[in-house]
Amino acid sequence: MQTITGTPADPAALTPAAARAAFRAGLSTPTSGWCAGATQANLIAVPREYAYDVLLFTQRNAQACPVIDVTDPGDPRTSLAEGADLRTDIPAYRVYENGELVTETTDASEYWRGDLVAFLLGCSFTFEKGLLDAGVPVRHLTAGANVPMYRTNRPCRPAGRIEGPLVVSMRAIPAAQVAAAVQVTSRFPTMHGAPVHVGDPVGLGIADLMRPDYGDKPIIEDGDVPVFWACGVTPQAAAVAAKLPFAISHAPGQMFITDVADASWSL
Amino acid sequence: MQTITGTPADPAALTPAAARAAFRAGLSTPTSGWCAGATQANLIAVPREYAYDVLLFTQRNAQACPVIDVTDPGDPRTSLAEGADLRTDIPAYRVYENGELVTETTDASEYWRGDLVAFLLGCSFTFEKGLLDAGVPVRHLTAGANVPMYRTNRPCRPAGRIEGPLVVSMRAIPAAQVAAAVQVTSRFPTMHGAPVHVGDPVGLGIADLMRPDYGDKPIIEDGDVPVFWACGVTPQAAAVAAKLPFAISHAPGQMFITDVADASWSL
């Protein structure tokens, strides 16, 4: 296979395997729009000693934490991508010690440990494609920006040493299309599903919509309603807050691209 | 609260709390039809040492294993039922050692251990109510029989020391109502969801439909099609097959009755 060393002309047309090979060869880039129709995933890898707490946290807060695979300890393979190596096939990684970011790297091989359990979690890219297909505008995508995300006043249900608030993403939806946005995302029950809140952000303890905790400032047009979905940042934020002695995650926006079709998660 | 010592005249009208109190007082009875509209759950409690394998097995085989709560080690309470005690509030329990049934009891208090983690799993009672409401016949219910269940030739994805085949339940559905059965159960994605197989049982390695591995012989009428759903017996069968040194489950058909509405699982 030819090695891609720069960003390809048409990343949407690449196969997931070709994209992973490019990342393995050292390419680092945000993956939004890459490999159209393929499910992208968040990574959080923790020592086996903490894996039960993390897995239980995802079960107890399932809407925010759509686990799509969990590896065996030390095994860098996943059932979601033929021939993939989780240590190298993500564009960029972050390595944490005691909840502190210690390095960012394009190759996690030297940091990977024999006791690491990797959790792959789905991301909202999957349902955003469904929204676009249904004619619902996704304003941050059109603008080439990141989705705005907020810590809420709703505590997650703790699990062992892991706890933290629910994090939500927000999309400003025209009032006449809020129902369609609910219908479309309801068809992805294992990819965050329907919104957790529609309307006034104060109900979630969000004081200023224009100052998100993660991502970019929102783009809101006249007649839009703020609509909030449970966000996959929730478990990673909680894992970092728990100051686990060691963890590896993907770098924000630089996701693992699986072989699984986005459409396979839809009812 | 008045203690119920025999089967009440109208168990469907009881509140879940009243039913649990009756079971706590010693009543042992199948719970099908009790507390109409309340979610009933399977129990499997295992030592903390095995909880990660069981939880991972449920994640890897989620359609068969709809986990609705996991307790903290030794804690007999659940978030699904106010004031309930999992050691006493199920009509009957089975206690296993090394995969062998050692006793059946109406009160598990003396067997409960400080390291036990209890898994509560949803059951098909929830979507069967949806089928009946939609006018789809559920033949075993009408006949007062148990649903027929079968071990298939499809292996589950193993998790640590836990492995086993997918177990399915079968309902014979009139050909004109198979689509409705798919639609209704699709609306319960966290309660087994849509069927895994429609039609010829040979495709699942089932040699003789009239000889189920669990439950009662099926009732099939002219023009019916056999429709198969992933079954909640799967994780319990795998846990027993793994010969865990210790486990407690409910007795078949004698379920834990939660405070959660069946309708809350429906899209």
mmCIF file of all heavy atoms in Angstrom, chain A residues 13-48:
data_model
loop_
_atom_site.group_PDB
_atom_site.id
_atom_site.type_symbol
_atom_site.label_atom_id
_atom_site.label_comp_id
_atom_site.label_asym_id
_atom_site.label_seq_id
_atom_site.Cartn_x
_atom_site.Cartn_y
_atom_site.Cartn_z
ATOM 1 N N ALA A 13 -12.791 10.086 0.666
ATOM 2 C CA ALA A 13 -12.875 8.929 -0.212
ATOM 3 C C ALA A 13 -11.936 7.794 0.202
ATOM 4 O O ALA A 13 -12.003 6.700 -0.350
ATOM 5 C CB ALA A 13 -12.565 9.347 -1.653
ATOM 6 N N LEU A 14 -11.053 8.050 1.173
ATOM 7 C CA LEU A 14 -10.112 7.013 1.601
ATOM 8 C C LEU A 14 -10.831 5.866 2.289
ATOM 9 O O LEU A 14 -11.840 6.066 2.969
ATOM 10 C CB LEU A 14 -9.102 7.584 2.603
ATOM 11 C CG LEU A 14 -7.930 8.400 2.084
ATOM 12 C CD1 LEU A 14 -7.016 8.733 3.266
ATOM 13 C CD2 LEU A 14 -7.153 7.631 1.021
ATOM 14 N N THR A 15 -10.277 4.657 2.173
ATOM 15 C CA THR A 15 -10.773 3.557 3.004
ATOM 16 C C THR A 15 -10.223 3.740 4.416
ATOM 17 O O THR A 15 -9.154 4.335 4.605
ATOM 18 C CB THR A 15 -10.289 2.190 2.488
ATOM 19 O OG1 THR A 15 -8.868 2.133 2.621
ATOM 20 C CG2 THR A 15 -10.688 1.975 1.027
ATOM 21 N N PRO A 16 -10.927 3.204 5.414
ATOM 22 C CA PRO A 16 -10.387 3.274 6.781
ATOM 23 C C PRO A 16 -8.981 2.665 6.876
ATOM 24 O O PRO A 16 -8.123 3.214 7.575
ATOM 25 C CB PRO A 16 -11.418 2.485 7.599
ATOM 26 C CG PRO A 16 -12.706 2.695 6.869
ATOM 27 C CD PRO A 16 -12.317 2.676 5.407
ATOM 28 N N ALA A 17 -8.747 1.557 6.174
ATOM 29 C CA ALA A 17 -7.421 0.920 6.259
ATOM 30 C C ALA A 17 -6.338 1.851 5.714
ATOM 31 O O ALA A 17 -5.240 1.947 6.277
ATOM 32 C CB ALA A 17 -7.427 -0.403 5.492
ATOM 33 N N ALA A 18 -6.625 2.547 4.622
ATOM 34 C CA ALA A 18 -5.641 3.474 4.041
ATOM 35 C C ALA A 18 -5.397 4.657 4.982
ATOM 36 O O ALA A 18 -4.259 5.117 5.146
ATOM 37 C CB ALA A 18 -6.126 3.962 2.678
ATOM 38 N N ALA A 19 -6.458 5.141 5.602
ATOM 39 C CA ALA A 19 -6.297 6.248 6.557
ATOM 40 C C ALA A 19 -5.446 5.806 7.748
ATOM 41 O O ALA A 19 -4.517 6.504 8.158
ATOM 42 C CB ALA A 19 -7.670 6.727 7.037
ATOM 43 N N ARG A 20 -5.733 4.620 8.274
ATOM 44 C CA ARG A 20 -4.956 4.130 9.428
ATOM 45 C C ARG A 20 -3.487 3.956 9.057
ATOM 46 O O ARG A 20 -2.603 4.256 9.856
ATOM 47 C CB ARG A 20 -5.553 2.811 9.951
ATOM 48 C CG ARG A 20 -6.938 2.976 10.579
ATOM 49 C CD ARG A 20 -7.355 1.727 11.358
ATOM 50 N NE ARG A 20 -7.460 0.535 10.541
ATOM 51 C CZ ARG A 20 -8.583 0.060 10.002
ATOM 52 N NH1 ARG A 20 -9.731 0.687 10.180
ATOM 53 N NH2 ARG A 20 -8.572 -1.054 9.290
ATOM 54 N N ALA A 21 -3.235 3.495 7.815
ATOM 55 C CA ALA A 21 -1.845 3.331 7.369
ATOM 56 C C ALA A 21 -1.140 4.690 7.313
ATOM 57 O O ALA A 21 0.038 4.805 7.667
ATOM 58 C CB ALA A 21 -1.806 2.645 6.006
ATOM 59 N N ALA A 22 -1.850 5.710 6.881
ATOM 60 C CA ALA A 22 -1.257 7.055 6.820
ATOM 61 C C ALA A 22 -0.912 7.556 8.224
ATOM 62 O O ALA A 22 0.153 8.129 8.453
ATOM 63 C CB ALA A 22 -2.228 8.021 6.138
ATOM 64 N N PHE A 23 -1.825 7.303 9.163
ATOM 65 C CA PHE A 23 -1.578 7.749 10.538
ATOM 66 C C PHE A 23 -0.425 6.941 11.145
ATOM 67 O O PHE A 23 0.407 7.473 11.883
ATOM 68 C CB PHE A 23 -2.838 7.620 11.393
ATOM 69 C CG PHE A 23 -4.023 8.352 10.823
ATOM 70 C CD1 PHE A 23 -5.308 7.833 10.934
ATOM 71 C CD2 PHE A 23 -3.862 9.560 10.146
ATOM 72 C CE1 PHE A 23 -6.400 8.503 10.401
ATOM 73 C CE2 PHE A 23 -4.957 10.236 9.599
ATOM 74 C CZ PHE A 23 -6.229 9.702 9.728
ATOM 75 N N ARG A 24 -0.376 5.656 10.809
ATOM 76 C CA ARG A 24 0.708 4.798 11.307
ATOM 77 C C ARG A 24 2.060 5.300 10.793
ATOM 78 O O ARG A 24 3.076 5.213 11.490
ATOM 79 C CB ARG A 24 0.475 3.349 10.871
ATOM 80 C CG ARG A 24 1.338 2.316 11.568
ATOM 81 C CD ARG A 24 1.044 0.923 11.068
ATOM 82 N NE ARG A 24 -0.386 0.616 11.102
ATOM 83 C CZ ARG A 24 -0.963 -0.367 10.418
ATOM 84 N NH1 ARG A 24 -0.244 -1.144 9.624
ATOM 85 N NH2 ARG A 24 -2.269 -0.567 10.509
ATOM 86 N N ALA A 25 2.027 5.842 9.569
ATOM 87 C CA ALA A 25 3.271 6.366 8.970
ATOM 88 C C ALA A 25 3.646 7.738 9.532
ATOM 89 O O ALA A 25 4.673 8.298 9.172
ATOM 90 C CB ALA A 25 3.125 6.435 7.456
ATOM 91 N N GLY A 26 2.776 8.294 10.383
ATOM 92 C CA GLY A 26 3.169 9.525 11.064
ATOM 93 C C GLY A 26 2.297 10.734 10.803
ATOM 94 O O GLY A 26 2.477 11.782 11.437
ATOM 95 N N LEU A 27 1.325 10.621 9.901
ATOM 96 C CA LEU A 27 0.456 11.773 9.624
ATOM 97 C C LEU A 27 -0.398 12.108 10.848
ATOM 98 O O LEU A 27 -1.019 11.231 11.439
ATOM 99 C CB LEU A 27 -0.457 11.457 8.427
ATOM 100 C CG LEU A 27 -1.443 12.569 8.040
ATOM 101 C CD1 LEU A 27 -0.699 13.819 7.554
ATOM 102 C CD2 LEU A 27 -2.397 12.069 6.954
ATOM 103 N N SER A 28 -0.420 13.376 11.226
ATOM 104 C CA SER A 28 -1.257 13.838 12.328
ATOM 105 C C SER A 28 -2.203 14.896 11.806
ATOM 106 O O SER A 28 -1.770 15.912 11.246
ATOM 107 C CB SER A 28 -0.377 14.408 13.447
ATOM 108 O OG SER A 28 -1.183 14.951 14.472
ATOM 109 N N THR A 29 -3.507 14.685 11.970
ATOM 110 C CA THR A 29 -4.516 15.594 11.417
ATOM 111 C C THR A 29 -5.858 15.346 12.095
ATOM 112 O O THR A 29 -6.145 14.215 12.493
ATOM 113 C CB THR A 29 -4.693 15.367 9.900
ATOM 114 O OG1 THR A 29 -5.774 16.166 9.416
ATOM 115 C CG2 THR A 29 -5.009 13.915 9.581
ATOM 116 N N PRO A 30 -6.689 16.399 12.235
ATOM 117 C CA PRO A 30 -8.073 16.125 12.652
ATOM 118 C C PRO A 30 -8.747 15.224 11.620
ATOM 119 O O PRO A 30 -8.462 15.338 10.423
ATOM 120 C CB PRO A 30 -8.718 17.516 12.685
ATOM 121 C CG PRO A 30 -7.566 18.473 12.812
ATOM 122 C CD PRO A 30 -6.434 17.832 12.060
ATOM 123 N N THR A 31 -9.618 14.321 12.080
ATOM 124 C CA THR A 31 -10.193 13.317 11.190
ATOM 125 C C THR A 31 -11.620 13.616 10.767
ATOM 126 O O THR A 31 -12.236 12.805 10.066
ATOM 127 C CB THR A 31 -10.163 11.934 11.878
ATOM 128 O OG1 THR A 31 -10.762 12.072 13.167
ATOM 129 C CG2 THR A 31 -8.741 11.420 12.008
ATOM 130 N N SER A 32 -12.140 14.774 11.179
ATOM 131 C CA SER A 32 -13.509 15.124 10.760
ATOM 132 C C SER A 32 -13.585 15.096 9.239
ATOM 133 O O SER A 32 -12.749 15.680 8.555
ATOM 134 C CB SER A 32 -13.859 16.518 11.287
ATOM 135 O OG SER A 32 -15.143 16.889 10.845
ATOM 136 N N GLY A 33 -14.579 14.370 8.707
ATOM 137 C CA GLY A 33 -14.746 14.298 7.263
ATOM 138 C C GLY A 33 -13.946 13.210 6.586
ATOM 139 O O GLY A 33 -14.132 12.962 5.395
ATOM 140 N N TRP A 34 -13.066 12.555 7.319
ATOM 141 C CA TRP A 34 -12.288 11.461 6.718
ATOM 142 C C TRP A 34 -13.151 10.207 6.562
ATOM 143 O O TRP A 34 -14.016 9.923 7.397
ATOM 144 C CB TRP A 34 -11.079 11.121 7.598
ATOM 145 C CG TRP A 34 -9.914 12.069 7.411
ATOM 146 C CD1 TRP A 34 -9.913 13.416 7.616
ATOM 147 C CD2 TRP A 34 -8.599 11.732 6.972
ATOM 148 N NE1 TRP A 34 -8.679 13.938 7.339
ATOM 149 C CE2 TRP A 34 -7.834 12.928 6.945
ATOM 150 C CE3 TRP A 34 -7.971 10.523 6.604
ATOM 151 C CZ2 TRP A 34 -6.499 12.950 6.559
ATOM 152 C CZ3 TRP A 34 -6.630 10.550 6.240
ATOM 153 C CH2 TRP A 34 -5.905 11.749 6.207
ATOM 154 N N CYS A 35 -12.906 9.442 5.487
ATOM 155 C CA CYS A 35 -13.504 8.102 5.303
ATOM 156 C C CYS A 35 -15.025 8.141 5.506
ATOM 157 O O CYS A 35 -15.562 7.493 6.420
ATOM 158 C CB CYS A 35 -12.894 7.084 6.262
ATOM 159 S SG CYS A 35 -11.096 7.023 6.219
ATOM 160 N N ALA A 36 -15.689 8.880 4.632
ATOM 161 C CA ALA A 36 -17.135 9.108 4.781
ATOM 162 C C ALA A 36 -17.890 7.808 5.042
ATOM 163 O O ALA A 36 -17.704 6.817 4.323
ATOM 164 C CB ALA A 36 -17.673 9.786 3.526
ATOM 165 N N GLY A 37 -18.730 7.829 6.072
ATOM 166 C CA GLY A 37 -19.568 6.665 6.365
ATOM 167 C C GLY A 37 -18.943 5.672 7.329
ATOM 168 O O GLY A 37 -19.624 4.745 7.772
ATOM 169 N N ALA A 38 -17.658 5.844 7.667
ATOM 170 C CA ALA A 38 -17.013 4.925 8.608
ATOM 171 C C ALA A 38 -17.090 5.506 10.023
ATOM 172 O O ALA A 38 -16.869 6.703 10.221
ATOM 173 C CB ALA A 38 -15.553 4.694 8.216
ATOM 174 N N THR A 39 -17.377 4.654 10.989
ATOM 175 C CA THR A 39 -17.525 5.094 12.383
ATOM 176 C C THR A 39 -16.175 5.493 12.973
ATOM 177 O O THR A 39 -15.218 4.731 12.908
ATOM 178 C CB THR A 39 -18.113 3.954 13.232
ATOM 179 O OG1 THR A 39 -19.359 3.552 12.658
ATOM 180 C CG2 THR A 39 -18.328 4.397 14.675
ATOM 181 N N GLN A 40 -16.099 6.689 13.534
ATOM 182 C CA GLN A 40 -14.898 7.126 14.224
ATOM 183 C C GLN A 40 -15.097 6.945 15.728
ATOM 184 O O GLN A 40 -16.224 6.999 16.230
ATOM 185 C CB GLN A 40 -14.580 8.581 13.866
ATOM 186 C CG GLN A 40 -14.342 8.749 12.356
ATOM 187 C CD GLN A 40 -13.586 10.017 12.004
ATOM 188 O OE1 GLN A 40 -12.957 10.642 12.849
ATOM 189 N NE2 GLN A 40 -13.635 10.381 10.728
ATOM 190 N N ALA A 41 -13.979 6.731 16.426
ATOM 191 C CA ALA A 41 -14.085 6.377 17.846
ATOM 192 C C ALA A 41 -13.080 7.138 18.698
ATOM 193 O O ALA A 41 -11.966 7.447 18.266
ATOM 194 C CB ALA A 41 -13.871 4.873 18.033
ATOM 195 N N ASN A 42 -13.506 7.434 19.924
ATOM 196 C CA ASN A 42 -12.649 7.949 20.987
ATOM 197 C C ASN A 42 -11.864 6.793 21.615
ATOM 198 O O ASN A 42 -12.378 5.677 21.705
ATOM 199 C CB ASN A 42 -13.503 8.559 22.103
ATOM 200 C CG ASN A 42 -14.381 9.690 21.633
ATOM 201 O OD1 ASN A 42 -13.945 10.817 21.552
ATOM 202 N ND2 ASN A 42 -15.640 9.388 21.302
ATOM 203 N N LEU A 43 -10.668 7.070 22.085
ATOM 204 C CA LEU A 43 -9.856 6.078 22.802
ATOM 205 C C LEU A 43 -9.578 6.554 24.216
ATOM 206 O O LEU A 43 -9.209 7.720 24.438
ATOM 207 C CB LEU A 43 -8.508 5.889 22.097
ATOM 208 C CG LEU A 43 -7.471 5.072 22.889
ATOM 209 C CD1 LEU A 43 -7.755 3.581 22.782
ATOM 210 C CD2 LEU A 43 -6.051 5.374 22.404
ATOM 211 N N ILE A 44 -9.747 5.649 25.186
ATOM 212 C CA ILE A 44 -9.176 5.875 26.518
ATOM 213 C C ILE A 44 -8.648 4.520 26.985
ATOM 214 O O ILE A 44 -9.389 3.536 27.035
ATOM 215 C CB ILE A 44 -10.188 6.495 27.518
ATOM 216 C CG1 ILE A 44 -9.591 6.637 28.906
ATOM 217 C CG2 ILE A 44 -11.491 5.739 27.588
ATOM 218 C CD1 ILE A 44 -8.792 7.878 29.095
ATOM 219 N N ALA A 45 -7.348 4.456 27.232
ATOM 220 C CA ALA A 45 -6.711 3.209 27.664
ATOM 221 C C ALA A 45 -6.201 3.406 29.082
ATOM 222 O O ALA A 45 -5.537 4.401 29.380
ATOM 223 C CB ALA A 45 -5.561 2.831 26.729
ATOM 224 N N VAL A 46 -6.555 2.462 29.963
ATOM 225 C CA VAL A 46 -6.202 2.569 31.380
ATOM 226 C C VAL A 46 -5.634 1.244 31.863
ATOM 227 O O VAL A 46 -5.893 0.193 31.265
ATOM 228 C CB VAL A 46 -7.438 2.954 32.250
ATOM 229 C CG1 VAL A 46 -8.064 4.263 31.772
ATOM 230 C CG2 VAL A 46 -8.466 1.835 32.275
ATOM 231 N N PRO A 47 -4.851 1.260 32.954
ATOM 232 C CA PRO A 47 -4.352 -0.001 33.501
ATOM 233 C C PRO A 47 -5.506 -0.924 33.904
ATOM 234 O O PRO A 47 -6.562 -0.452 34.357
ATOM 235 C CB PRO A 47 -3.541 0.438 34.728
ATOM 236 C CG PRO A 47 -3.168 1.863 34.454
ATOM 237 C CD PRO A 47 -4.324 2.431 33.685
ATOM 238 N N ARG A 48 -5.274 -2.218 33.758
ATOM 239 C CA ARG A 48 -6.270 -3.244 34.096
ATOM 240 C C ARG A 48 -6.892 -2.996 35.471
ATOM 241 O O ARG A 48 -8.081 -3.220 35.655
ATOM 242 C CB ARG A 48 -5.605 -4.624 34.039
ATOM 243 C CG ARG A 48 -6.406 -5.778 34.606
ATOM 244 C CD ARG A 48 -7.632 -6.089 33.787
ATOM 245 N NE ARG A 48 -8.413 -7.201 34.350
ATOM 246 C CZ ARG A 48 -9.355 -7.044 35.284
ATOM 247 N NH1 ARG A 48 -9.632 -5.850 35.764
ATOM 248 N NH2 ARG A 48 -10.019 -8.089 35.739
#
